[in-house]
Amino acid sequence: MYSKKKNRWLKHLDFILLDILSICVALFLAYAIRHGLRSHYGSEEYFRIGMVMIFADLVVVFFGDSYKDVIRRGYLTEFRAAFTHLSLVMCGLFVYLFFVQQSEFFSRLTIFWTWVLGFVLMYFSRIALKTWLRRRMMQKKKLVSVLAVVSRDTAEPILRELLNRKYRDFDIVGIILVGQGKRQEHNQTQELQPEQRLSKQQRPEGLQAVKQGQADKITEICGVPVVATGDDFAVYIRDHVVDEIFVSVNEDFETTEAIMEACVSMGITVHQNLTGVSKGGNQVVDEFAGYMVLTSSIKVAAYRDLLLKRCMDIAGGLIGLFLTALMFPFIAVAIRIKSPGPVFFCQERVGKNGRIIKIYKFRSMYVDAEERKEELLRQNEMQGLMFKMKEDPRVVPGVGVFIRKTSLDEFPQFWNVLKGDMSLVGTRPPTIEEYQHYDMHHMVRMSIKPGLTGLWQVSGRNEITDFEEVVKLDTQYIENWSLRLDIEILLKTIRVILEGRGE
């Protein structure tokens, strides 16, 4: 699923909130300097102008260009931008005071100090936030993992431009090289891993190749490893974290089209450099690293909708953790009595686009459950890549059966939801073993965050025994995703739990 983040006033929500906080603090301090340490919000007039300034700030953000290239702006440029932004806000306040004819109620000194202190707070808070964000980007935390699909002739200039973008929010993890000749010329490239990438200090310039007779075996371009060709890209994507691909080629368009179609079918977002392409289906004209691109995805969602989904996850995570804390003493005692060992069960699962996450549950099985799974595989009631037994002998009698039937064992996963590893609604996170056996069309399940519940869980999961049916339901959920659908699934999940159909 792809989020189109071109609503400037939503894309930079962190800076917007920071500026509003700076304005409010500045007004409070200015009032204190002029009138003493009393809350200016105790005065109806000052409360009103505080609201007017916040509204004026949002108007400036919405109609202006206050945050263009905000991460890359230098100190002097930011100085001018902050001064201009706050000056426009103050002009909005003056216009309001002129029309309501109430300027005599307000101290000119208070207004002056609000302007001065607001500018100082706004400037330095922006610098502090940018410094923190830049550090995270340089440390490659929360960056989007991107594969570049390029042809040999266009590769070097494109990679240079992508890599030279300072403080980018994406990381080029590898290159799929198309139109380079026979597959056997690339045997060495298939052994390269993203962690083998050279540092900037080590990077040689341009195309790096190993000569063997007349054939050039390209292993990296501008320090980025060539990880696949048009023949074997699916294997690399399955085994590595890939969020998006950027496509810019001038040859072998048939292979390129096959790569793009396959990636979209796997739920990976595709950005195609806009040269002789037309817009259709789930596609939007967008910007990527300075290029105008045609972005294709299995689902293009509005950024504000995904922001609301995340807010809903945070609220649900907090409520869920509160309920988990209330039930913890009772469940913990019952588990320890029936089966000595840890109260919580921690397991590595596969999250969005192949990221490894750790999920947490109340332990409902004996401590040796994982070791005993091998001997029970023949009794698996699911067709395909999931394991499920109705009368699983590994489940602790009594408490284990109860918390699984009521889904109480899942409650610690609200911590995963709060952290952002999971969502309230999504797809079931597979085990690493299951994921390693996925075919290409199964990968679409991994294009969104895994969830505590999902369409499969509320569609009679006890009756569904075919993994392909699970994939079909998950694909249906992703293609038709909306906040309304999430709310409907959550309400149905509550009903399923109350009816005792949790397992």
Side-chain angles (χ1 to χ4, degrees):
M1 187 185 299
Y2 176 68
S3 167
K4 191 173 184 291
K5 300 182 180 181
K6 292 306 158 189
N7 304 71
R8 291 170 298 185
W9 60 287
L10 283 175
K11 180 179 180 180
H12 298 295
L13 185 61
D14 45 0
F15 284 95
I16 294 174
L17 295 176
L18 194 62
D19 285 351
I20 290 175
L21 179 61
S22 298
I23 291 172
C24 293
V25 172
L27 184 57
F28 175 84
L29 294 176
Y31 185 90
I33 292 172
R34 178 65 179 85
H35 302 285
L37 292 173
R38 294 178 297 166
S39 172
H40 68 276
Y41 290 112
S43 167
E44 182 180 347
E45 291 79 10
Y46 279 94
F47 176 82
R48 190 183 305 122
I49 68 168
M51 295 298 102
V52 169
M53 292 180 70
I54 292 174
F55 177 75
D57 179 83
L58 294 176
V59 171
V60 172
V61 170
F62 188 81
F63 291 102
D65 217 5
S66 300
Y67 305 118
K68 182 179 180 181
D69 292 327
V70 62
I71 300 296
R72 301 180 183 87
R73 290 197 300 229
Y75 293 108
L76 182 58
T77 305
E78 192 60 62
F79 185 93
R80 291 195 297 264
F83 181 80
T84 302
H85 183 98
L86 187 60
S87 297
L88 291 173
V89 172
M90 298 304 295
C91 288
L93 175 62
F94 295 151
V95 170
Y96 167 80
L97 293 177
F98 174 78
F99 278 104
V100 299
Q101 298 294 312
Q102 292 183 345
S103 59
E104 67 273 9
F105 291 108
F106 305 101
S107 165
R108 291 175 175 80
L109 189 60
T110 301
I111 300 298
F112 171 76
W113 279 114
T114 300
W115 198 334
V116 172
L117 294 174
F119 166 68
V120 172
L121 290 172
M122 185 177 292
Y123 175 71
F124 284 103
S125 61
R126 285 186 180 186
I127 293 297
L129 178 57
K130 289 201 299 183
T131 300
W132 180 73
L133 290 173
R134 287 171 176 177
R135 185 177 295 114
R136 283 173 60 88
M137 288 178 177
M138 296 302 289
Q139 294 172 348
K140 297 184 178 179
K141 291 182 178 180
K142 301 291 184 181
L143 297 186
V144 176
S145 296
V146 177
L147 280 181
V149 180
V150 292
S151 53
R152 183 167 181 171
D153 294 340
T154 64
E156 186 175 350
I158 289 174
L159 265 295
R160 285 187 189 282
E161 186 164 349
L162 294 176
L163 295 173
N164 285 338
R165 289 182 65 85
K166 201 173 183 181
Y167 308 125
R168 57 187 181 271
D169 57 359
F170 60 89
D171 182 29
I172 304 297
V173 297
I175 298 168
I176 298 177
L177 203 58
V178 298
Q180 144 163 274
K182 298 179 180 179
R183 180 175 177 177
Q184 57 263 33
E185 294 179 2
H186 307 290
N187 289 335
Q188 284 194 2
T189 68
Q190 298 176 26
E191 300 174 2
L192 292 173
Q193 301 297 326
E195 56 267 25
Q196 291 177 287
R197 185 179 312 165
L198 301 177
S199 66
K200 285 187 176 179
Q201 292 76 16
Q202 297 173 310
R203 281 179 181 172
E205 295 296 318
L207 301 175
Q208 298 301 308
V210 178
K211 299 283 186 178
Q212 183 177 4
Q214 300 299 318
D216 288 343
K217 302 177 183 178
I218 299 176
T219 59
E220 65 175 42
I221 302 173
C222 297
V224 182
V226 177
V227 297
T229 66
D231 297 320
D232 53 14
F233 68 93
V235 177
Y236 178 87
I237 291 175
R238 186 193 64 189
D239 296 338
H240 299 80
V241 175
V242 178
D243 296 307
E244 302 174 1
I245 67 170
F246 173 71
V247 181
S248 184
V249 299
N250 61 0
E251 58 180 307
D252 203 352
F253 296 109
E254 185 176 341
T255 299
T256 304
E257 189 70 25
I259 293 174
M260 292 191 296
E261 289 180 0
C263 287
V264 171
S265 72
M266 290 187 282
I268 296 172
T269 297
V270 175
H271 303 289
Q272 184 180 9
N273 195 0
L274 268 179
T275 306
V277 295
S278 59
K279 184 178 176 182
N282 281 326
Q283 298 176 322
V284 290
V285 176
D286 210 343
E287 183 270 342
F288 179 84
Y291 291 94
M292 288 299 296
V293 297
L294 184 66
T295 297
S296 307
S297 181
I298 187 173
K299 173 68 177 180
V300 177
Y303 178 68
R304 64 178 179 273
D305 290 342
L306 293 181
L307 178 63
L308 289 173
K309 179 179 174 68
R310 179 57 187 150
C311 291
M312 190 165 64
D313 286 344
I314 292 173
L318 291 172
I319 295 172
L321 286 178
F322 174 73
L323 296 176
T324 303
L326 292 180
M327 67 180 68
F328 172 77
F330 307 99
I331 295 179
V333 170
I335 291 175
R336 294 300 293 270
I337 291 175
K338 281 286 189 176
S339 174
V343 174
F344 294 104
F345 171 70
C346 176
Q347 186 182 42
E348 286 190 337
R349 295 285 184 100
V350 181
K352 183 178 179 181
N353 291 330
R355 290 172 173 82
I356 303 300
I357 62 174
K358 287 185 177 181
I359 67 166
Y360 303 90
K361 293 185 177 184
F362 284 123
R363 184 170 60 86
S364 61
M365 294 185 174
Y366 291 108
V367 292
D368 62 346
E370 289 296 296
E371 290 75 14
R372 295 172 59 187
K373 179 179 178 180
E374 191 70 29
E375 63 190 54
L376 299 172
L377 289 177
R378 292 184 179 180
Q379 303 178 52
N380 185 12
E381 298 172 1
M382 289 289 294
Q383 300 175 28
L385 301 178
M386 293 173 62
F387 178 80
K388 190 175 181 66
M389 282 186 65
K390 200 166 188 178
E391 301 292 337
D392 196 328
R394 301 172 300 163
V395 178
V396 178
V399 60
V401 174
F402 175 76
I403 64 176
R404 286 169 68 87
K405 192 174 185 64
T406 56
S407 296
L408 295 180
D409 61 324
E410 308 279 355
F411 269 66
Q413 289 177 50
F414 280 108
W415 172 243
N416 294 104
V417 173
L418 192 61
K419 284 173 57 183
D421 294 335
M422 296 178 63
S423 180
L424 292 177
V425 184
T427 59
R428 171 189 174 273
T431 64
I432 295 177
E433 182 183 4
E434 292 172 357
Y435 181 74
Q436 289 172 342
H437 292 88
Y438 270 18
D439 291 331
M440 187 182 298
H441 70 283
H442 297 148
M443 299 290 294
V444 67
R445 309 183 64 242
M446 314 310 302
S447 62
I448 62 171
K449 288 181 182 179
L452 286 179
T453 186
L455 190 59
W456 165 55
Q457 285 88 335
V458 298
S459 300
R461 68 177 182 179
N462 287 326
E463 290 75 34
I464 297 175
T465 59
D466 189 350
F467 178 65
E468 296 299 331
E469 183 66 22
V470 174
V471 175
K472 181 179 178 181
L473 288 171
D474 287 340
T475 305
Q476 179 183 333
Y477 167 74
I478 297 170
E479 291 177 338
N480 298 284
W481 177 84
S482 67
L483 288 172
R484 179 177 178 179
L485 179 58
D486 273 7
I487 293 172
E488 290 177 356
I489 291 175
L490 287 172
L491 293 176
K492 289 180 180 179
T493 300
I494 294 174
R495 187 180 67 186
V496 168
I497 293 175
L498 293 178
E499 292 175 354
R501 296 187 285 121
E503 187 175 354

